[in-house]
């Protein structure tokens, strides 16, 4: 009872190549198996060992204090995230090493050394402390395009103990306002514009459209990329202020548990959750996994294509990579602009050795045709990664053959905004991979698949993915909402962290993650709460009620389908016009990523007698299937009546 059907079976296997294993940090399977077994038996000792990956100002007293559902890791230890990403590399003589290779959509590029990055971070830290009076524990929002200043902003906040909340540059005014006000941000760091698909994205205008509704914001620091941008009240010119500041700054020690950042993510209710991450434990998690899973070497050029607005950008563009003194690529632009080979051109141009991207992008490249990557050498690549959603075996094989040229291991990495770092993934020098499986938990991660009663499932039996022991980079709560934190993650299965994902394990113990079991949809690797989109729809005056469901989509993973009942009997405008207007409305309220792919206007929504919308039924309809399953509890047996022109 309550178990979930298992449909995906994939039997192809790929052994790590001998040459890769010979040079890998972790290349000996027997040794690794021993480490893994010990870590599963004693996760705390494993993580204490791993804590050596970062520099501490003072050592912790106790490695873990666990009072469910709250963990404290490395209690009493102090550190500084920016120090770990900058100063310590300068001390080791890496000042001239390239930290960031930035590539613009128009083909221009810029390299920033660790020394230059350090100086810019120090200058901005001084601005934030001295000019804006920010103190440790204050919050600041970062709403920026993918330019080096976005990373400089994050590190400057981290350096002075200010909690940053990065808001994805594609979010609209109301979405920014909700996040900024929930976090009570005092400062917003932004740019006048970003560039994508040859267009200007008006970031500052978007902020200005909701400025009157953000009373907590005292200052907006604007990176002017256009000379004619006019700054208004509360705006300050980034370059002007920064240039006046000293290029040094003393990094204060912060408690291991000091919050490093908030990141808002979708959940099952309309309001996004402000996920809280710590400093010490988070850094230990991301730097350890970056080293082991990506087999990171000093010579690597690492390109993670995620935006810094998502957790992947936080952990594997910024903190996990810079804490190792790695060279990272940052591309501000769209994958297919100005031509379908743009990504591969960048790989060759900057000699990328590790590429970390999302299945939705891989599927889009597949569809665009093999001729595009085939025009490029791609000979510098040695490892490929995938993240954000399940990768279907076809896309895995294409990635392996066309991009990895059969030579590069693939790490399919499962994790979440809440987990902070990767929790399930192959270790490329030792794990035999199976296309579509994230394989095994990282050492020290006690992942399991359980049934409705919380009992471990048998091999190949589907169930819920849970984690049974705290780990250092786990979330520390939901900002200002402890009840929701308990309810969302710790109530369904007492004593276990509930991921919200369904999965099964095969007879080798490999995990196959299928997707969400709650009202969260994964569109192009982005988590969207159906409730969030529904709230946006019903905020339109013409809408009485709305229900949003996901429909499988060959490229995006899932597409958003909205069922909407308009107010009154007659719509004033044509159905087509109203649908267009509602799609625009959602884009305005949340951002283009939440724009429904399809809106169906209906006279009623199918409900149970207790008034619950029957989503299962809507899902069937969205997929064009005859509704299956039990409909006896349906209040209105007429199902739904579509309104058409
Ligand atoms: O459903 C899982 C899916 O993405 C969700 C987490 O989304 P988010 O917090 O936005 O973080 C995305 C980047 C880490 C998970 O609950 N997911 C993520 N990675 C995978 C995945 N599903 C299957 N396989 C993966 N490798």
């Amino acid at each position: 009872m309550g178990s979930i059907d298992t449909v995906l079976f994939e039997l192809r296997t790929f052994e790590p190549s001998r040459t890769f294993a010979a040079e890998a940090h972790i290349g000996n399977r027997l040794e690794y198996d021993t480490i893994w077994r010990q870590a599963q038996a004693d996760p705390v000792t494993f993580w204490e060992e791993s804590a050596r990956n970062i520099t501490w100002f003072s050592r912790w007293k106790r490695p873990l204090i666990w009072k469910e559902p709250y963990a404290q890791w490395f209690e009493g230890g102090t550190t500084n995230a920016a120090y770990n990403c900058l100063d310590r590399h300068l001390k080791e003589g890496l000042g001239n090493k390239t930290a960031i290779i930035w590539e613009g959509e128009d083909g221009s590029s810029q390299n920033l050394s660790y020394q230059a990055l350090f100086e810019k971070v120090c200058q901005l830290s001084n601005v934030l402390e001295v000019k804006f009076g920010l103190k440790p524990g204050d919050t600041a929002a970062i709403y920026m395009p993918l330019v080096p200043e976005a990373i400089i902003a994050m590190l400057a906040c981290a350096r002075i103990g200010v909690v940053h909340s990065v808001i994805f540059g594609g979010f609209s005014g109301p979405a920014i306002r909700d996040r900024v006000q929930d976090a009570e941000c005092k400062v917003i760091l932004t740019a006048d514009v970003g560039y994508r698909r040859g267009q200007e994205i008006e970031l500052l205008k978007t902020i200005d459209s909701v400025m009157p509704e953000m009373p907590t914001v005292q200052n907006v620091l604007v990176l002017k990329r256009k000379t004619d941008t006019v700054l208004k009240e509360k705006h300050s010119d980034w370059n002007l202020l920064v240039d006046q500041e000293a290029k040094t700054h003393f990094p204060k020690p912060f408690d291991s548990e000091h919050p490093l950042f908030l990141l808002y993510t979708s959940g099952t209710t309309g309001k996004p959750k402000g996920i809280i991450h710590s400093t010490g434990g988070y850094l230990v998690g991301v730097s350890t996994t970056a080293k082991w899973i990506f087999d990171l070497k000093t010579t690597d050029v690492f390109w993670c294509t995620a935006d810094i607005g998502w957790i992947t950008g936080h952990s594997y563009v910024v903190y996990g990579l810079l804490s190792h003194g790695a060279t990272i690529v940052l591309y501000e632009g769209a994958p297919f602009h100005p031509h379908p080979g743009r990504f591969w051109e960048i790989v060759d141009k900057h000699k990328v050795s590790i590429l970390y991207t999302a299945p939705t992008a891989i599927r889009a490249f597949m569809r665009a045709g093999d001729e595009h990557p085939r025009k490029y050498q791609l000979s510098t690549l040695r490892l490929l990664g995938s993240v954000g959603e399940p990768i279907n075996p076809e896309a895995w094989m294409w990635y392996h053959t066309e991009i990895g040229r059969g030579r590069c291991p693939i790490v399919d990495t499962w994790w979440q905004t809440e987990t902070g770092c990767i929790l399930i993934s192959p270790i490329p020098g030792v794990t035999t991979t199976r296309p579509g499986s994230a394989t095994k938990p990282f050492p020290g991660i006690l992942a399991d698949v359980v049934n409705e009663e919380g009992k471990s499932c048998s091999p190949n039996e589907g169930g819920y993915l849970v984690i049974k022991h705290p780990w250092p980079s786990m979330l520390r709560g939901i900002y200002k909402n402890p009840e929701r934190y308990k309810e969302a993650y710790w109530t369904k299965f007492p004593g276990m962290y509930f991921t919200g994902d369904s999965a099964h394990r095969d007879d080798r113990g490999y995990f196959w993650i299928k997707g969400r079991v709650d009202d969260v949809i994964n569109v192009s690797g982005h988590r969207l709460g159906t409730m969030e989109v529904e709230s946006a729809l019903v905020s339109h005056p013409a809408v009485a009620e709305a229900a949003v469901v996901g429909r499988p989509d060959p490229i995006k993973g899932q597409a958003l389908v909205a069922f909407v009942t308009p107010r009154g009997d007659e719509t004033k405008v044509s159905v087509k016009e109203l649908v267009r207007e509602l799609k625009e409305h959602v884009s305005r309220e949340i951002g283009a990523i939440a724009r429904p792919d399809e809106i169906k206007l209906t006279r009623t929504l199918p409900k149970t007698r207790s008034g619950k919308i029957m989503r299962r039924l809507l899902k069937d309809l969205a997929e064009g299937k005859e509704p299956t399953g039990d409909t006896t509890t349906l209040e209105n047996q007429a199902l739904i009546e579509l309104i058409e022109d």
Side-chain angles (χ1 to χ4, degrees), residues 265-266 310-313 316 356 359 386-391 411-419 421-422 424 436-438 465 497 499-502 512-517 520 522 525-528:
T265 193
S266 297
W310 313 114
I311 190 67
T312 311
Y316 301 105
Y356 190 32
S386 168
V387 59
E389 52 181 315
I391 180 165
V411 287
D412 172 4
T413 62
W414 177 89
W415 58 299
Q416 308 179 298
T417 305
E418 293 87 341
T419 68
C421 73
I422 298 167
I424 305 181
S437 169
L465 181 63
Y497 167 82
T499 63
D501 279 353
S502 66
W512 300 77
I513 290 115
K514 277 173 283 189
R516 306 289 307 185
V517 289
V520 172
N522 202 325
H526 299 313
R527 254 167 87 169
L528 292 170

Short mmCIF file of all heavy atoms in Angstrom, two decimals, residues 265-266 310-313 316 356 359 386-391 411-419 421-422 424 436-438 465 497 499-502 512-517 520 522 525-528, ligand 1:
data_model
loop_
_atom_site.label_atom_id
_atom_site.label_comp_id
_atom_site.label_asym_id
_atom_site.label_seq_id
_atom_site.Cartn_x
_atom_site.Cartn_y
_atom_site.Cartn_z
N THR A 265 12.67 29.34 -2.47
CA THR A 265 12.33 28.26 -3.39
C THR A 265 10.86 27.92 -3.26
O THR A 265 10.22 28.26 -2.27
CB THR A 265 13.22 27.02 -3.15
OG1 THR A 265 13.04 26.13 -4.24
CG2 THR A 265 12.88 26.29 -1.86
N SER A 266 10.35 27.23 -4.28
CA SER A 266 8.92 26.91 -4.29
C SER A 266 8.60 25.74 -3.39
O SER A 266 9.39 24.81 -3.26
CB SER A 266 8.50 26.54 -5.71
OG SER A 266 8.67 27.63 -6.54
N TRP A 310 19.99 30.37 -8.54
CA TRP A 310 19.55 29.06 -8.04
C TRP A 310 20.62 28.48 -7.14
O TRP A 310 21.77 28.88 -7.18
CB TRP A 310 19.27 28.10 -9.20
CG TRP A 310 18.44 28.71 -10.29
CD1 TRP A 310 18.84 28.97 -11.56
CD2 TRP A 310 17.08 29.16 -10.21
NE1 TRP A 310 17.82 29.54 -12.27
CE2 TRP A 310 16.73 29.67 -11.47
CE3 TRP A 310 16.12 29.18 -9.18
CZ2 TRP A 310 15.47 30.20 -11.73
CZ3 TRP A 310 14.87 29.70 -9.45
CH2 TRP A 310 14.55 30.20 -10.71
N ILE A 311 20.28 27.43 -6.42
CA ILE A 311 21.24 26.83 -5.48
C ILE A 311 22.45 26.28 -6.22
O ILE A 311 23.58 26.36 -5.72
CB ILE A 311 20.57 25.72 -4.61
CG1 ILE A 311 21.50 25.27 -3.48
CG2 ILE A 311 20.16 24.52 -5.45
CD1 ILE A 311 21.78 26.28 -2.42
N THR A 312 22.25 25.76 -7.43
CA THR A 312 23.40 25.21 -8.18
C THR A 312 24.45 26.29 -8.40
O THR A 312 25.65 26.05 -8.28
CB THR A 312 22.94 24.61 -9.52
OG1 THR A 312 21.84 23.76 -9.26
CG2 THR A 312 24.03 23.83 -10.19
N GLY A 313 23.99 27.51 -8.69
CA GLY A 313 24.91 28.62 -8.86
C GLY A 313 25.63 28.97 -7.56
O GLY A 313 26.82 29.28 -7.56
N TYR A 316 27.93 25.43 -6.79
CA TYR A 316 28.92 24.93 -7.74
C TYR A 316 29.30 25.93 -8.83
O TYR A 316 29.90 25.55 -9.82
CB TYR A 316 28.48 23.57 -8.30
CG TYR A 316 28.30 22.57 -7.17
CD1 TYR A 316 27.02 22.20 -6.75
CD2 TYR A 316 29.41 22.07 -6.49
CE1 TYR A 316 26.86 21.32 -5.67
CE2 TYR A 316 29.24 21.19 -5.42
CZ TYR A 316 27.98 20.82 -5.02
OH TYR A 316 27.81 19.96 -3.95
N TYR A 356 28.97 21.26 -16.31
CA TYR A 356 27.89 20.84 -15.41
C TYR A 356 26.62 21.56 -15.87
O TYR A 356 26.55 22.79 -15.81
CB TYR A 356 28.28 21.26 -13.98
CG TYR A 356 27.42 20.73 -12.85
CD1 TYR A 356 26.80 19.49 -12.91
CD2 TYR A 356 27.28 21.47 -11.68
CE1 TYR A 356 26.06 19.02 -11.83
CE2 TYR A 356 26.54 21.00 -10.59
CZ TYR A 356 25.93 19.78 -10.68
OH TYR A 356 25.20 19.31 -9.61
N PRO A 359 19.51 18.49 -17.66
CA PRO A 359 18.93 17.65 -18.70
C PRO A 359 18.09 18.42 -19.72
O PRO A 359 18.11 18.10 -20.90
CB PRO A 359 18.06 16.66 -17.91
CG PRO A 359 18.73 16.57 -16.58
CD PRO A 359 19.27 17.95 -16.31
N SER A 386 25.30 16.46 -14.58
CA SER A 386 23.90 16.74 -14.87
C SER A 386 23.19 17.03 -13.55
O SER A 386 23.48 16.40 -12.54
CB SER A 386 23.29 15.52 -15.55
OG SER A 386 21.89 15.62 -15.60
N VAL A 387 22.26 17.96 -13.56
CA VAL A 387 21.57 18.33 -12.32
C VAL A 387 20.22 18.98 -12.61
O VAL A 387 20.04 19.60 -13.64
CB VAL A 387 22.40 19.33 -11.49
CG1 VAL A 387 22.70 20.61 -12.24
CG2 VAL A 387 21.71 19.68 -10.16
N GLY A 388 19.31 18.82 -11.66
CA GLY A 388 18.07 19.60 -11.69
C GLY A 388 16.83 18.78 -11.90
O GLY A 388 15.74 19.17 -11.48
N GLU A 389 16.95 17.66 -12.57
CA GLU A 389 15.79 16.81 -12.84
C GLU A 389 16.31 15.45 -13.28
O GLU A 389 17.52 15.32 -13.57
CB GLU A 389 14.91 17.43 -13.93
CG GLU A 389 15.73 17.77 -15.12
CD GLU A 389 14.96 18.41 -16.25
OE1 GLU A 389 13.88 17.93 -16.58
OE2 GLU A 389 15.48 19.37 -16.83
N PRO A 390 15.44 14.46 -13.34
CA PRO A 390 15.92 13.16 -13.80
C PRO A 390 16.42 13.29 -15.24
O PRO A 390 15.82 13.98 -16.05
CB PRO A 390 14.67 12.28 -13.75
CG PRO A 390 13.71 13.00 -12.84
CD PRO A 390 14.01 14.45 -12.96
N ILE A 391 17.54 12.66 -15.54
CA ILE A 391 18.03 12.66 -16.92
C ILE A 391 17.57 11.36 -17.56
O ILE A 391 17.84 10.27 -17.04
CB ILE A 391 19.55 12.89 -17.02
CG1 ILE A 391 19.99 12.87 -18.49
CG2 ILE A 391 20.38 11.92 -16.19
CD1 ILE A 391 21.39 13.44 -18.72
N VAL A 411 28.50 12.50 -14.21
CA VAL A 411 27.97 12.44 -12.85
C VAL A 411 26.56 13.04 -12.85
O VAL A 411 26.38 14.21 -13.14
CB VAL A 411 28.90 13.13 -11.80
CG1 VAL A 411 30.13 12.28 -11.56
CG2 VAL A 411 29.32 14.53 -12.20
N ASP A 412 25.59 12.17 -12.59
CA ASP A 412 24.19 12.61 -12.48
C ASP A 412 23.98 12.90 -10.99
O ASP A 412 23.96 11.99 -10.17
CB ASP A 412 23.27 11.49 -12.98
CG ASP A 412 21.80 11.76 -12.72
OD1 ASP A 412 21.46 12.85 -12.21
OD2 ASP A 412 20.98 10.87 -13.03
N THR A 413 23.86 14.17 -10.66
CA THR A 413 23.91 14.58 -9.25
C THR A 413 22.52 14.94 -8.75
O THR A 413 21.88 15.84 -9.28
CB THR A 413 24.83 15.80 -9.10
OG1 THR A 413 24.30 16.89 -9.86
CG2 THR A 413 26.24 15.50 -9.58
N TRP A 414 22.07 14.25 -7.72
CA TRP A 414 20.77 14.58 -7.12
C TRP A 414 20.97 15.43 -5.87
O TRP A 414 21.77 15.06 -4.98
CB TRP A 414 19.97 13.33 -6.74
CG TRP A 414 18.69 13.74 -6.08
CD1 TRP A 414 17.50 14.01 -6.70
CD2 TRP A 414 18.49 14.01 -4.68
NE1 TRP A 414 16.58 14.44 -5.77
CE2 TRP A 414 17.16 14.45 -4.54
CE3 TRP A 414 19.30 13.96 -3.55
CZ2 TRP A 414 16.61 14.81 -3.29
CZ3 TRP A 414 18.77 14.32 -2.32
CH2 TRP A 414 17.42 14.73 -2.20
N TRP A 415 20.25 16.52 -5.78
CA TRP A 415 20.23 17.33 -4.56
C TRP A 415 19.14 18.38 -4.68
O TRP A 415 18.35 18.35 -5.62
CB TRP A 415 21.60 17.93 -4.27
CG TRP A 415 22.20 18.80 -5.35
CD1 TRP A 415 22.52 18.43 -6.61
CD2 TRP A 415 22.58 20.17 -5.22
NE1 TRP A 415 23.09 19.48 -7.28
CE2 TRP A 415 23.13 20.56 -6.45
CE3 TRP A 415 22.53 21.10 -4.18
CZ2 TRP A 415 23.60 21.86 -6.68
CZ3 TRP A 415 23.02 22.37 -4.41
CH2 TRP A 415 23.54 22.75 -5.64
N GLN A 416 19.08 19.28 -3.73
CA GLN A 416 18.00 20.27 -3.66
C GLN A 416 18.51 21.58 -3.05
O GLN A 416 19.55 21.57 -2.37
CB GLN A 416 16.89 19.79 -2.71
CG GLN A 416 16.37 18.41 -2.97
CD GLN A 416 15.30 18.04 -1.96
OE1 GLN A 416 15.58 17.98 -0.76
NE2 GLN A 416 14.10 17.81 -2.43
N THR A 417 17.72 22.64 -3.21
CA THR A 417 18.03 23.90 -2.55
C THR A 417 18.26 23.64 -1.06
O THR A 417 19.18 24.18 -0.45
CB THR A 417 16.85 24.89 -2.72
OG1 THR A 417 16.57 25.00 -4.12
CG2 THR A 417 17.16 26.25 -2.14
N GLU A 418 17.42 22.79 -0.50
CA GLU A 418 17.46 22.53 0.94
C GLU A 418 18.71 21.74 1.37
O GLU A 418 19.16 21.88 2.50
CB GLU A 418 16.23 21.70 1.35
CG GLU A 418 14.90 22.43 1.24
CD GLU A 418 14.27 22.33 -0.15
OE1 GLU A 418 15.00 22.03 -1.12
OE2 GLU A 418 13.06 22.57 -0.25
N THR A 419 19.20 20.88 0.48
CA THR A 419 20.31 20.02 0.91
C THR A 419 21.65 20.75 0.83
O THR A 419 22.64 20.29 1.39
CB THR A 419 20.39 18.72 0.07
OG1 THR A 419 20.77 19.06 -1.26
CG2 THR A 419 19.09 17.95 0.07
N CYS A 421 24.26 20.83 -0.73
CA CYS A 421 25.26 20.21 -1.60
C CYS A 421 24.67 18.92 -2.19
O CYS A 421 23.60 18.47 -1.78
CB CYS A 421 26.54 19.91 -0.83
SG CYS A 421 26.44 18.53 0.31
N ILE A 422 25.40 18.36 -3.15
CA ILE A 422 24.99 17.11 -3.80
C ILE A 422 24.95 15.99 -2.75
O ILE A 422 25.89 15.84 -1.97
CB ILE A 422 26.00 16.75 -4.91
CG1 ILE A 422 26.03 17.83 -5.98
CG2 ILE A 422 25.66 15.38 -5.52
CD1 ILE A 422 27.21 17.72 -6.95
N ILE A 424 23.42 12.63 -3.69
CA ILE A 424 23.48 11.33 -4.37
C ILE A 424 24.15 11.54 -5.73
O ILE A 424 23.70 12.39 -6.50
CB ILE A 424 22.08 10.71 -4.56
CG1 ILE A 424 21.34 10.61 -3.22
CG2 ILE A 424 22.17 9.34 -5.24
CD1 ILE A 424 19.95 10.01 -3.29
N GLY A 436 20.64 7.35 -16.30
CA GLY A 436 19.37 7.65 -15.66
C GLY A 436 19.38 7.47 -14.15
O GLY A 436 18.44 7.86 -13.47
N SER A 437 20.48 6.90 -13.62
CA SER A 437 20.54 6.73 -12.17
C SER A 437 21.60 7.64 -11.56
O SER A 437 22.72 7.72 -12.07
CB SER A 437 20.89 5.28 -11.81
OG SER A 437 21.21 5.20 -10.42
N ALA A 438 21.24 8.29 -10.45
CA ALA A 438 22.21 9.13 -9.74
C ALA A 438 23.13 8.25 -8.88
O ALA A 438 23.96 8.73 -8.14
CB ALA A 438 21.48 10.17 -8.88
N LEU A 465 11.82 9.28 -1.09
CA LEU A 465 13.24 9.46 -0.80
C LEU A 465 13.38 10.27 0.49
O LEU A 465 12.82 11.36 0.61
CB LEU A 465 13.90 10.21 -1.97
CG LEU A 465 15.39 10.48 -1.85
CD1 LEU A 465 16.19 9.19 -1.80
CD2 LEU A 465 15.87 11.34 -3.02
N TYR A 497 14.42 13.25 7.23
CA TYR A 497 14.21 14.42 6.39
C TYR A 497 13.48 13.94 5.13
O TYR A 497 13.95 13.05 4.43
CB TYR A 497 15.56 15.05 6.02
CG TYR A 497 15.46 16.06 4.90
CD1 TYR A 497 15.05 17.37 5.16
CD2 TYR A 497 15.73 15.72 3.58
CE1 TYR A 497 14.93 18.30 4.13
CE2 TYR A 497 15.61 16.63 2.55
CZ TYR A 497 15.21 17.91 2.83
OH TYR A 497 15.09 18.83 1.81
N THR A 499 12.31 14.47 1.42
CA THR A 499 12.78 15.27 0.28
C THR A 499 11.65 15.78 -0.61
O THR A 499 11.84 16.72 -1.37
CB THR A 499 13.69 14.41 -0.62
OG1 THR A 499 12.90 13.33 -1.13
CG2 THR A 499 14.87 13.85 0.14
N GLY A 500 10.49 15.09 -0.56
CA GLY A 500 9.41 15.44 -1.49
C GLY A 500 9.54 14.71 -2.82
O GLY A 500 8.72 14.89 -3.70
N ASP A 501 10.59 13.88 -2.97
CA ASP A 501 10.79 13.15 -4.23
C ASP A 501 10.42 11.68 -4.07
O ASP A 501 10.54 11.12 -2.99
CB ASP A 501 12.27 13.19 -4.65
CG ASP A 501 12.64 14.50 -5.33
OD1 ASP A 501 11.73 15.31 -5.60
OD2 ASP A 501 13.83 14.72 -5.58
N SER A 502 10.03 11.07 -5.19
CA SER A 502 9.83 9.63 -5.18
C SER A 502 11.03 8.97 -5.88
O SER A 502 11.69 9.60 -6.71
CB SER A 502 8.53 9.26 -5.89
OG SER A 502 8.63 9.58 -7.26
N TRP A 512 17.19 5.66 -8.25
CA TRP A 512 16.58 6.20 -9.46
C TRP A 512 15.53 7.19 -8.99
O TRP A 512 14.52 6.79 -8.41
CB TRP A 512 15.94 5.07 -10.28
CG TRP A 512 16.92 4.04 -10.72
CD1 TRP A 512 17.46 3.04 -9.97
CD2 TRP A 512 17.52 3.92 -12.02
NE1 TRP A 512 18.34 2.30 -10.71
CE2 TRP A 512 18.40 2.81 -11.97
CE3 TRP A 512 17.39 4.63 -13.22
CZ2 TRP A 512 19.14 2.41 -13.08
CZ3 TRP A 512 18.13 4.22 -14.32
CH2 TRP A 512 18.99 3.13 -14.24
N ILE A 513 15.77 8.45 -9.22
CA ILE A 513 14.85 9.46 -8.70
C ILE A 513 13.85 9.84 -9.79
O ILE A 513 14.25 10.13 -10.92
CB ILE A 513 15.63 10.68 -8.17
CG1 ILE A 513 16.36 10.26 -6.88
CG2 ILE A 513 14.69 11.82 -7.80
CD1 ILE A 513 17.79 10.26 -6.92
N LYS A 514 12.59 9.79 -9.40
CA LYS A 514 11.57 9.97 -10.43
C LYS A 514 11.01 11.38 -10.48
O LYS A 514 10.59 11.85 -11.51
CB LYS A 514 10.44 8.97 -10.22
CG LYS A 514 10.83 7.65 -10.84
CD LYS A 514 9.84 6.57 -10.54
CE LYS A 514 10.03 6.06 -9.12
NZ LYS A 514 9.27 4.88 -8.81
N GLY A 515 10.95 12.05 -9.35
CA GLY A 515 10.40 13.41 -9.39
C GLY A 515 9.58 13.69 -8.15
O GLY A 515 9.57 12.89 -7.20
N ARG A 516 8.87 14.79 -8.17
CA ARG A 516 8.18 15.26 -6.97
C ARG A 516 6.89 14.48 -6.73
O ARG A 516 6.22 14.07 -7.67
CB ARG A 516 7.83 16.75 -7.13
CG ARG A 516 9.00 17.62 -7.48
CD ARG A 516 9.95 17.81 -6.36
NE ARG A 516 9.32 18.27 -5.15
CZ ARG A 516 9.98 18.60 -4.04
NH1 ARG A 516 11.31 18.52 -4.04
NH2 ARG A 516 9.37 19.01 -2.98
N VAL A 517 6.56 14.33 -5.46
CA VAL A 517 5.28 13.72 -5.13
C VAL A 517 4.30 14.77 -4.62
O VAL A 517 3.17 14.49 -4.32
CB VAL A 517 5.42 12.61 -4.06
CG1 VAL A 517 6.09 11.39 -4.65
CG2 VAL A 517 6.18 13.10 -2.84
N VAL A 520 4.68 20.36 -6.61
CA VAL A 520 5.80 21.13 -7.15
C VAL A 520 6.10 20.55 -8.53
O VAL A 520 6.12 19.34 -8.71
CB VAL A 520 7.03 21.03 -6.22
CG1 VAL A 520 8.25 21.66 -6.86
CG2 VAL A 520 6.72 21.71 -4.88
N ASN A 522 8.58 20.58 -12.05
CA ASN A 522 9.94 20.87 -12.48
C ASN A 522 9.92 21.28 -13.95
O ASN A 522 9.84 20.45 -14.83
CB ASN A 522 10.78 19.61 -12.28
CG ASN A 522 12.24 19.93 -12.18
OD1 ASN A 522 12.73 20.85 -12.84
ND2 ASN A 522 12.94 19.17 -11.38
N GLY A 525 14.06 22.31 -15.25
CA GLY A 525 14.95 22.20 -14.10
C GLY A 525 14.66 23.22 -13.01
O GLY A 525 15.36 23.28 -12.01
N HIS A 526 13.62 24.02 -13.18
CA HIS A 526 13.29 25.01 -12.13
C HIS A 526 12.08 24.53 -11.36
O HIS A 526 11.07 24.16 -11.95
CB HIS A 526 13.00 26.37 -12.73
CG HIS A 526 14.15 26.95 -13.48
ND1 HIS A 526 15.42 26.94 -12.96
CD2 HIS A 526 14.24 27.51 -14.69
CE1 HIS A 526 16.24 27.48 -13.83
NE2 HIS A 526 15.56 27.84 -14.89
N ARG A 527 12.20 24.61 -10.07
CA ARG A 527 11.09 24.19 -9.22
C ARG A 527 10.03 25.27 -9.16
O ARG A 527 10.30 26.39 -8.76
CB ARG A 527 11.63 24.04 -7.81
CG ARG A 527 11.79 22.65 -7.38
CD ARG A 527 12.61 22.65 -6.14
NE ARG A 527 11.78 22.83 -4.96
CZ ARG A 527 12.25 22.64 -3.73
NH1 ARG A 527 13.51 22.31 -3.56
NH2 ARG A 527 11.47 22.79 -2.70
N LEU A 528 8.81 24.91 -9.51
CA LEU A 528 7.72 25.88 -9.42
C LEU A 528 6.60 25.26 -8.61
O LEU A 528 6.22 24.11 -8.87
CB LEU A 528 7.20 26.22 -10.81
CG LEU A 528 8.14 26.99 -11.73
CD1 LEU A 528 7.57 27.04 -13.13
CD2 LEU A 528 8.34 28.41 -11.20
O1 LIG B 1 12.97 16.68 -7.77
C1 LIG B 1 14.35 16.78 -7.57
C2 LIG B 1 14.98 17.50 -8.74
O2 LIG B 1 15.04 18.87 -8.38
C3 LIG B 1 14.51 19.05 -7.06
C4 LIG B 1 15.27 20.14 -6.36
O3 LIG B 1 15.08 21.34 -7.02
P1 LIG B 1 15.89 22.63 -6.59
O4 LIG B 1 15.75 22.84 -5.13
O5 LIG B 1 15.45 23.72 -7.49
O6 LIG B 1 17.39 22.28 -6.88
C5 LIG B 1 17.78 21.96 -8.18
C6 LIG B 1 19.29 21.84 -8.22
C7 LIG B 1 19.90 21.00 -7.20
C8 LIG B 1 14.66 17.71 -6.42
O7 LIG B 1 13.77 17.58 -5.32
N1 LIG B 1 16.35 17.01 -9.03
C9 LIG B 1 17.50 17.68 -8.82
N2 LIG B 1 18.54 16.95 -9.27
C10 LIG B 1 18.04 15.79 -9.77
C11 LIG B 1 16.64 15.83 -9.59
N3 LIG B 1 15.86 14.80 -9.95
C12 LIG B 1 16.45 13.72 -10.49
N4 LIG B 1 17.78 13.63 -10.69
C13 LIG B 1 18.62 14.62 -10.36
N5 LIG B 1 19.91 14.51 -10.59
#
